[in-house]
Amino acid sequence: MFATTPLRVVAVSAGLSQPSSTRLLADRLAAATRERLAAEQDRNVEVQVIEVRDLAVDIAHHLLSGFPSAALREALDAVTEADGLIAVTPVFTASYSGLFKSFFDLVDNTALTGKPVVIAATGGTARHSLVLEHALRPLFAYLRAVTVPTSVYAASEDWGSSGDEYTEGLPSRIRRAGGELASAVLGRTVSGASRTPGLDDGEDAIVPFEQQLADLRLD
């Protein structure tokens, strides 16, 4: 790939309503990723948001006939060719929406191999937040994508909230997930860490085994 080729980030939003909190979350994650990518390298960044609701009929026809429409083919190609992917679904009956799953059922099961992905979901209550871990993460593990550590769930009360003693606020979670996706797109560790542990790292530093034995030696 030439250095002048833009980096492509694609966000798939499976929200059904307009306006949609699912689309809003996809937009916020895409903006956070774009901001981090723009700050850390010189290539242009292109962001595309795919509204699955606009492709609902095309998805049904493809499932029945085996042939995609031009619009659906374009969307599937965008997902396949993206450097980084953001996948956001509303929660229906404790899982991802059927439309969201049907769209990814049409993605070739090897097309996302090694692709960095942020998973995210919206719901009316925080009780469904584990949907990210029991439904979305296994789905993208099956597709062999590289899902970044931070997944983002937004319940209705999270919008405009600053978080609590256990959880960061939604804006902080979005920035962290976007930063992890940007790092993964650039081929770095998701934390961006590259240094080796030093003496100032305290109890978390890795001490060589020989040194641990020497420290136990009695005079």
Side-chain angles (χ1 to χ4, degrees):
M1 179 179 295
F2 296 106
T4 54
T5 303
L7 290 171
R8 291 164 296 182
V9 176
V10 172
V12 176
S13 169
L16 297 180
S17 59
Q18 283 188 324
S20 162
S21 61
T22 303
R23 171 62 190 264
L24 180 59
L25 182 56
D27 287 341
R28 296 283 176 84
L29 285 165
T33 305
R34 182 210 292 267
E35 180 180 359
R36 182 65 68 88
L37 284 171
E40 296 190 355
Q41 50 81 52
D42 296 329
R43 294 164 64 185
N44 291 328
V45 181
E46 294 181 350
V47 174
Q48 179 180 356
V49 180
I50 296 173
E51 286 268 21
V52 182
R53 69 188 300 273
D54 296 335
L55 301 168
V57 175
D58 305 73
I59 290 170
H61 286 169
H62 187 11
L63 289 170
L64 295 174
S65 68
F67 297 98
S69 65
L72 180 57
R73 181 73 270 162
E74 182 179 346
L76 293 172
D77 287 346
V79 167
T80 300
E81 296 167 5
D83 295 297
L85 180 64
I86 298 165
V88 192
T89 178
V91 174
F92 289 160
T93 321
S95 188
Y96 36 63
S97 74
L99 189 58
F100 177 86
K101 179 63 162 54
S102 295
F103 177 79
F104 281 100
D105 282 345
L106 298 177
V107 176
D108 185 274
N109 62 6
T110 62
L112 301 187
T113 300
K115 191 180 300 296
V117 177
V118 167
I119 54 174
T122 57
T125 168
R127 288 181 302 169
H128 298 302
S129 59
L130 282 178
V131 68
L132 293 164
E133 307 305 324
H134 72 67
L136 271 80
R137 199 174 292 276
L139 170 64
F140 287 96
Y142 172 79
L143 293 171
R144 303 177 186 175
V146 178
T147 309
V148 302
T150 299
S151 50
V152 181
Y153 181 87
S156 298
E157 63 265 27
D158 285 327
W159 298 100
S161 170
S162 58
D164 54 32
E165 59 180 316
Y166 303 108
T167 308
E168 296 174 298
L170 181 59
S172 296
R173 302 202 302 272
I174 290 172
R175 283 195 297 274
R176 181 149 51 93
E180 290 175 358
L181 180 61
S183 293
V185 167
L186 297 175
R188 303 170 183 167
T189 59
V190 293
S191 66
S194 59
R195 66 189 180 89
T196 56
L199 296 176
D200 296 332
D201 289 303
E203 61 183 10
D204 293 331
I206 300 174
V207 180
F209 186 60
E210 295 83 354
Q211 182 178 336
Q212 295 181 46
L213 292 175
D215 292 342
L216 293 174
R217 186 178 305 152
L218 298 176
D219 295 329

